[in-house]
Amino acid sequence: RKAHPRVSLQEDITFIKDLVVVFLAATIGGALSAQVRFPPLVGFLVGGMVVGPGGLNLVTELVEMETLASVGIALVLFSLGCEFSVSELLSVKRVAIYGGVISMAMIVILCAGLTPLLSLTDNVREGIVVGLAISLSSTAVVLQCISIPGHDANGTSANAQSACAATAHESIVPIPHAHSPVLMGNNSSAKSLANVYGQNYPMSARGNELSAESSHSFEQVSAGGPGNVELTLDSPKARKVMLALLIFQDVAIGLIVAVLPALKGTMSSFVEDVVGSALRLCVFMILSLLVAEFVLPWILERIDRTRSESLFTISSVLFCLLVAYVSEELGLAIELGAFSAGIMVSESRFRDRVEHSVRSVQDVFAGVFFVAIGMMIHWRYFYLNFFRVVLMLMFILASKCFAMSTVIYLFGSLPTRAAVGAGLALSQAGEFTFVIASKAQALQMFSGPDLRVLNGATALSMLLTPFLVRYARSVARTRAHSGSE
């Protein structure tokens, strides 16, 4: 049969042109952001704003870009899952779990009660969705801004740079120390999250370095005599508390997306949907445990025997996307499936190699994800609705600072000023806020104008984070008696 003379060549060329525009925006935005010592992802967001529909409108195939962005967020969460350790989270469960749950509940309650009164949402249900969305802070931006003192402009010490040059198959075992942070992994894990966000990961593992730093910090305290404990935002204890809450929020993203559909109906249907989601989640968890215990090690072992790096990379990406697809088919969420796939890999001896294999692929798609997020933000709408956007921004910062400071003070055992400083550093909405808001709009729980207000306020809160952290350092710097902790 003769082929139709009109082929899709022009559409393919258009898509390639869009990719060029997206990568150019990411490159220029990331480079400029690095020059002013902002996290590169901030540049990705701004680049997306410039080339998207709200800016120069240079991208045509928006649906294809959103699909690539979905792959990007799946790979980002897959790498976060590889970083995750149940035992490490349980070791700080008092602040991570109790504090995480209570802080999210406080933010949701504040949003449900106040945003309708402030005309930021149309009803209580929409306020609850906003609360769930803004309860997620930006792991990427916060970790970049609270880099270890004495590091270079990018937050990397000479030792850390040497560590990052090690091969992906190496695993540095942390030296146990009485005062060292418990959230430690291995060197490859640190490099993985560094690549997820296009930055160095000062708070994660590099176990020996953080342990040594923690030891040095407490030695300085001892030298100063008892009762001269200086607690700042950069002290090991404060960083450990903030990292614990950030990890909990990263874990919660999949569960929030899975529960969103249940918020659409009445109370009876809500309970029914929640129970149904819980049952599907149980089935998914059981299947995941079986695969992680009996199937995944066998498959990875045989792929490893082929000694083909390209095959191992393809297989790792396949596993991530396959589990994400199964999760979506079960009515849960792609995000939850991708994170679960990472957790399954984290218990395998091939964890480091999987992280190394997917790194370059993940970097590309993660960049597309953040640029696509930026394209959702409309400058013109921001200009025309300046008051609402600024009011939403102030509400986000105030409500989150209050909630995070409260749980950090109650469960993190930090003095009041240090707790307020840490809460202020975590007061921004994060990159996953865009994901939750977009999912909610797809479920017709958000109007277009309300979504643009939330996206604009979220982007501004992320852009303000370096300045908030700088101010939080001055707030948190306090001297407290060791007995008061």
Side-chain angles (χ1 to χ4, degrees):
R1 183 179 177 181
K2 188 177 180 180
H4 194 281
R6 181 179 179 182
V7 294
S8 58
L9 181 61
Q10 183 62 42
E11 295 178 359
D12 293 338
I13 291 176
T14 301
F15 179 61
I16 293 174
K17 183 267 294 182
D18 288 344
L19 283 178
V20 171
V21 171
V22 166
F23 289 136
L24 182 62
T27 301
I28 296 176
L32 293 177
S33 181
Q35 286 296 316
V36 295
R37 298 187 179 182
F38 273 38
L41 73 86
V42 173
F44 298 163
L45 290 172
V46 175
M49 297 180 202
V50 173
V51 302
L56 300 178
N57 196 23
L58 299 178
V59 178
T60 306
E61 305 288 348
L62 294 177
V63 175
E64 284 77 1
M65 289 300 139
E66 290 176 1
T67 302
L68 292 179
S70 297
V71 176
I73 192 60
L75 292 173
V76 166
L77 287 167
F78 178 68
S79 292
L80 286 172
C82 291
E83 282 287 320
F84 183 73
S85 170
V86 176
S87 60
E88 288 172 352
L89 186 62
L90 290 178
S91 66
V92 285
K93 65 180 180 181
R94 177 176 165 81
V95 64
I97 298 178
Y98 303 151
V101 171
I102 292 176
S103 64
M104 294 183 73
M106 290 175 64
I107 294 169
V108 170
I109 292 172
L110 287 173
C111 285
L114 296 181
T115 54
L117 296 178
L118 297 173
S119 299
L120 293 173
T121 57
D122 296 331
N123 50 60
V124 173
R125 186 183 67 179
E126 191 171 314
I128 292 174
V129 176
V130 170
L132 291 173
I134 69 172
S135 65
L136 304 171
S137 301
S138 177
T139 304
V141 178
V142 172
L143 294 187
Q144 178 72 9
C145 293
I146 57 174
S147 57
I148 298 172
H151 286 45
D152 64 16
N154 292 324
T156 312
S157 68
N159 292 338
Q161 290 173 344
S162 300
C164 286
T167 60
H169 298 284
E170 285 185 282
S171 179
I172 298 178
V173 180
I175 298 175
H177 190 279
H179 301 290
S180 61
V182 295
L183 289 175
M184 297 178 182
N186 51 51
N187 181 48
S188 180
S189 300
K191 291 186 293 182
S192 174
L193 278 189
N195 281 278
V196 169
Y197 295 116
Q199 64 179 51
N200 299 295
Y201 196 125
M203 284 181 59
S204 84
R206 298 189 190 109
N208 291 338
E209 182 184 340
L210 267 183
S211 181
E213 184 220 355
S214 179
S215 175
H216 178 65
S217 174
F218 277 85
E219 285 171 2
Q220 286 183 322
V221 169
S222 298
N228 281 329
V229 180
E230 183 176 13
L231 290 174
T232 68
L233 199 65
D234 295 300
S235 65
K237 184 173 184 179
R239 287 203 309 274
K240 182 174 70 173
V241 167
M242 288 187 287
L243 180 58
L245 289 169
L246 289 170
I247 288 179
F248 176 85
Q249 292 172 5
D250 289 336
V251 174
I253 170 67
L255 297 176
I256 293 174
V257 173
V259 170
L260 275 181
L263 296 173
K264 291 185 62 178
T266 62
M267 180 57 67
S268 59
S269 63
F270 172 78
V271 174
E272 182 179 341
D273 289 341
V274 168
V275 172
S277 297
L279 291 176
R280 290 193 299 271
L281 182 61
C282 290
V283 172
F284 179 75
M285 291 177 62
I286 293 172
L287 291 175
S288 299
L289 291 173
L290 293 175
V291 170
E293 184 69 24
F294 301 106
V295 180
L296 184 60
W298 183 85
I299 294 176
L300 291 178
E301 184 72 37
R302 275 144 188 81
I303 294 176
D304 181 60
R305 290 178 184 175
T306 65
R307 300 183 181 276
S308 172
E309 191 62 34
S310 59
L311 179 59
F312 200 92
T313 299
I314 293 173
S315 302
S316 300
V317 174
L318 169 64
F319 179 69
C320 167
L321 298 181
L322 178 62
V323 178
Y325 174 76
V326 171
S327 174
E328 180 72 20
E329 287 296 304
L330 286 175
L332 299 174
I334 289 177
E335 292 79 7
L336 178 61
F339 188 81
S340 300
I343 293 178
M344 286 186 264
V345 170
S346 71
E347 302 300 323
S348 166
R349 70 182 183 89
F350 292 101
R351 159 181 164 170
D352 294 344
R353 188 176 177 192
V354 170
E355 292 180 51
H356 173 69
S357 297
V358 303
R359 185 174 305 146
S360 57
V361 180
Q362 162 217 287
D363 288 345
V364 172
F365 283 100
V368 175
F369 165 71
F370 286 113
V371 173
I373 290 298
M375 289 192 294
M376 297 169 57
I377 302 170
H378 291 244
W379 284 108
R380 180 173 299 179
Y381 187 86
F382 171 78
Y383 172 75
L384 296 175
N385 297 269
F386 178 79
F387 177 76
R388 286 194 69 200
V389 174
V390 172
L391 183 61
M392 176 65 82
L393 172 65
M394 295 175 62
F395 178 82
I396 290 173
L397 297 179
S399 61
K400 291 203 65 178
C401 182
F402 170 72
M404 304 306 292
S405 300
T406 300
V407 299
I408 290 173
Y409 177 77
L410 294 176
F411 301 102
S413 300
L414 292 180
T416 304
R417 290 175 62 88
V420 171
L424 184 61
L426 298 177
S427 63
Q428 77 291 123
E431 52 274 8
F432 293 133
T433 299
F434 298 107
V435 177
I436 300 296
S438 180
K439 295 280 186 181
Q441 189 194 32
L443 294 169
Q444 298 180 345
M445 302 173 70
F446 258 162
S447 64
D450 289 341
L451 177 66
R452 295 190 187 99
V453 168
L454 181 58
N455 285 344
T458 299
L460 286 176
S461 72
M462 294 175 69
L463 293 172
L464 288 174
T465 298
F467 304 101
L468 292 174
V469 171
R470 187 178 305 171
Y471 179 68
R473 281 194 171 96
S474 63
V475 172
R477 191 174 300 278
T478 179
R479 303 188 69 84
H481 291 287
S482 57
S484 66
E485 296 182 63

